[in-house]
Amino acid sequence: MPTSSLSSPKAATLTVKPKTGLADEPLDIKVEGLGPGERVTLRATAISYRGRRFHSLAHYQADCRGRLDLARAPALGGDFTGVEPMGLLWSLTPAGSQDPRLSQMPRGVMRNPLKVEVTVHRAPRQPAEPLGPALASAQVQRWFSTPELQRARLRARGLRGVFLVPSGDGPFPGLIDMFGDGGLNESRTSLLACRGFATLALPLFGYEDLPPIMKDLNLDYFEEAAKFVQSHPKVKGPNIGVIGSGKGAELAFSMASFLPSIAAVVSINGCVSNTATTLTCGRVILPGLPLNLDKISATDSGVYDVKEALEDPLDPAYQESRIPLEKASAHFLFIVGEDDRHWKSSVYADIAMKHLTEHGKTNFTLLSYPDAGHRIDPPYSPFFAVALDPVLGVSVLGGGQLKAHAIAQIESWKKILEFLHLHLG
């Protein structure tokens, strides 16, 4: 029987390709020069743009020729099991005492790739035994952009953000990208631009001279953003799309309901009602669906569970907070993590689709992922079960299971690109 004590007949070599590539591209990871059936451990270490360290590992067994191909060989343990060619990437977690809430997704993405080193070690004999010296190593750079992208900071007409345009003459489909947390996040925006979309990363608060915390919002801000994208000479008009996560998704719903120029909406775990803050839409005012603080519970680790805190959108007392989706002519792609602990995303998607159906509309598609959590990012992004809530200012559960969440990110990204290309040309 082969064991980890067998010595390698020659020096091991580790290849990871491509050495430089986009963050949504898969890697080809192979090891040669091991002993037949030798047990080894592969480890990945990543350094984010702020110098934060993340790591992952998995145990494998070489074949009878001393070779190991992660596209075919199952992981036998570690941070994941089974045939997972990209498991070392999507299982990355903060190293040591790093705060688990810290997101790895870089915000300054144009000049700062995610740097990943993969190393191969002889498997330890005991689970608690530290890894020995690396038999071989390889480094790769995971970029969220390309040098050819045109990047422009937006400070016109009260707008703030960054507009990214693909290389070439165009015209390109136009998009607005929004997240529910504060600051500017270009990571998804730049990947969308790399895939052929002229995309505006539109912050809501916590950026430059925008309010430091989320305050009442006005649709005028988002209408100006839509007009900017529409009127850009490299944007294919007349209509554009919007993609949003969390609060960004519900704002995408509102834009589609009140702005005729919105042709496609991607909602990632959004709510069917306006939440937290008032949204003024011309003469229509959507109050924020409130939180019931009595329904927030704390876990033993001090993290809060807020899933039950948001009031019921179907309660007649909060009818005015409902977003009038029936007015929208856009096509909708609802992406739902069924284990979302931030709020009841599955319920909200069901309400939205039932409401659209009752108004004779069939302009929607649902992608629902079992055991996926709240923050569904582009593929191979690390999984974070805890996040800092921008409204409450405390750590809250995001929900989801590691492998299931990774599957949701990989599969939904393909569907998002297909959906946007279909409805925006």
Side-chain angles (χ1 to χ4, degrees):
M1 295 294 293
T3 68
S4 60
S5 63
L6 292 175
S7 60
S8 303
K10 58 181 180 180
T13 59
L14 171 66
T15 57
V16 183
K17 297 179 180 179
K19 291 184 177 180
T20 301
L22 290 174
D24 63 350
E25 294 177 344
L27 292 173
D28 180 32
I29 303 176
K30 295 178 181 177
V31 185
E32 295 184 348
L34 300 171
E38 183 174 3
R39 292 182 179 270
V40 294
T41 296
L42 266 65
R43 177 185 176 97
T45 304
I47 307 296
S48 76
Y49 78 114
R50 288 181 175 174
R52 294 166 178 163
R53 294 176 60 85
F54 296 77
H55 61 189
S56 63
L57 62 82
H59 309 302
Y60 291 91
Q61 185 173 12
D63 63 17
C64 61
R65 296 183 178 181
R67 298 175 180 175
L68 183 63
D69 183 350
L70 267 59
R72 297 178 176 85
L76 305 176
D79 293 325
F80 57 92
T81 59
V83 179
E84 296 293 340
M86 292 293 288
L88 289 172
L89 270 293
W90 54 250
S91 66
L92 285 166
T93 56
S97 60
Q98 294 273 12
D99 189 334
R101 299 173 302 171
L102 297 176
S103 173
Q104 183 194 4
M105 296 295 287
R107 293 173 183 256
V109 296
M110 297 302 288
R111 299 179 181 177
N112 300 283
L114 178 69
K115 298 177 181 179
V116 182
E117 180 180 35
V118 181
T119 53
V120 58
H121 309 256
R122 287 192 172 88
R125 297 181 180 181
Q126 300 295 330
E129 183 179 335
L131 293 178
L135 302 176
S137 65
Q139 292 79 34
V140 296
Q141 292 186 351
R142 307 280 288 171
W143 286 88
F144 289 80
S145 65
T146 65
E148 294 77 20
L149 288 185
Q150 300 176 35
R151 181 182 185 273
R153 292 179 62 185
L154 185 59
R155 295 185 60 87
R157 295 178 284 188
L159 296 176
R160 298 295 179 265
V162 168
F163 191 52
L164 291 163
V165 181
S167 61
D169 296 331
F172 306 101
L175 269 179
I176 295 175
D177 185 17
M178 296 182 292
F179 288 86
D181 48 8
L184 178 71
N185 191 333
E186 299 177 54
S187 55
R188 185 170 65 196
T189 305
S190 56
L191 284 176
L192 287 165
C194 291
R195 299 307 175 197
F197 299 94
T199 311
L200 171 63
L202 187 66
L204 310 180
F205 63 97
Y207 176 70
E208 293 188 346
D209 57 354
L210 294 177
I213 61 174
M214 188 183 297
K215 295 185 177 181
D216 292 345
L217 300 168
N218 196 304
L219 191 69
D220 290 348
Y221 178 75
F222 304 95
E223 185 174 12
E224 283 297 325
K227 289 179 179 178
F228 170 84
V229 175
Q230 282 179 285
S231 62
H232 193 277
K234 287 198 173 184
V235 169
K236 177 182 179 181
N239 298 321
I240 64 171
V242 188
I243 178 171
S245 298
K247 179 68 177 180
E250 74 185 51
L251 287 167
F253 288 155
S254 297
M255 291 178 69
S257 300
F258 291 98
L259 304 178
S261 61
I262 307 302
V265 170
V266 177
S267 163
I268 302 175
N269 287 327
C271 183
V272 72
S273 292
N274 179 58
T275 66
T277 59
T278 296
L279 176 64
T280 300
C281 308
R283 296 181 179 180
V284 178
I285 297 178
L286 301 179
L289 186 67
L291 292 169
N292 185 338
L293 299 182
D294 292 335
K295 294 183 178 180
I296 297 177
S297 59
T299 66
D300 294 339
S301 62
V303 177
Y304 290 89
D305 188 341
V306 300
K307 183 173 183 177
E308 301 294 332
L310 197 62
E311 295 288 6
D312 184 359
L314 294 179
D315 188 329
Y318 307 112
Q319 183 177 358
E320 292 183 355
S321 297
R322 287 279 298 277
I323 300 168
L325 286 178
E326 72 278 2
K327 295 183 178 180
S329 58
H331 294 269
F332 294 98
L333 177 62
F334 298 99
I335 297 175
V336 168
E338 295 180 13
D339 192 37
D340 185 353
R341 299 297 304 178
H342 188 82
W343 55 25
K344 301 176 182 179
S345 297
S346 294
V347 173
Y348 303 151
D350 289 341
I351 294 172
M353 292 186 295
K354 182 179 179 181
H355 185 73
L356 289 169
T357 301
E358 289 173 347
H359 284 79
K361 293 181 177 289
T362 59
N363 55 339
F364 56 85
T365 301
L366 172 67
L367 299 177
S368 190
Y369 296 99
D371 295 324
H374 183 69
R375 181 64 177 261
I376 298 177
D377 283 318
Y380 318 123
S381 301
F383 167 65
F384 290 88
V386 177
L388 184 66
D389 185 274
V391 176
L392 298 173
V394 297
S395 298
V396 300
L397 294 175
Q401 302 296 320
L402 174 62
K403 187 171 182 177
H405 196 85
I407 292 172
Q409 295 190 144
I410 295 168
E411 293 185 356
S412 65
W413 185 247
K414 298 175 184 177
K415 297 297 184 180
I416 288 170
L417 298 178
E418 291 173 0
F419 173 83
L420 293 174
H421 279 297
L422 174 64
H423 295 293
L424 299 178

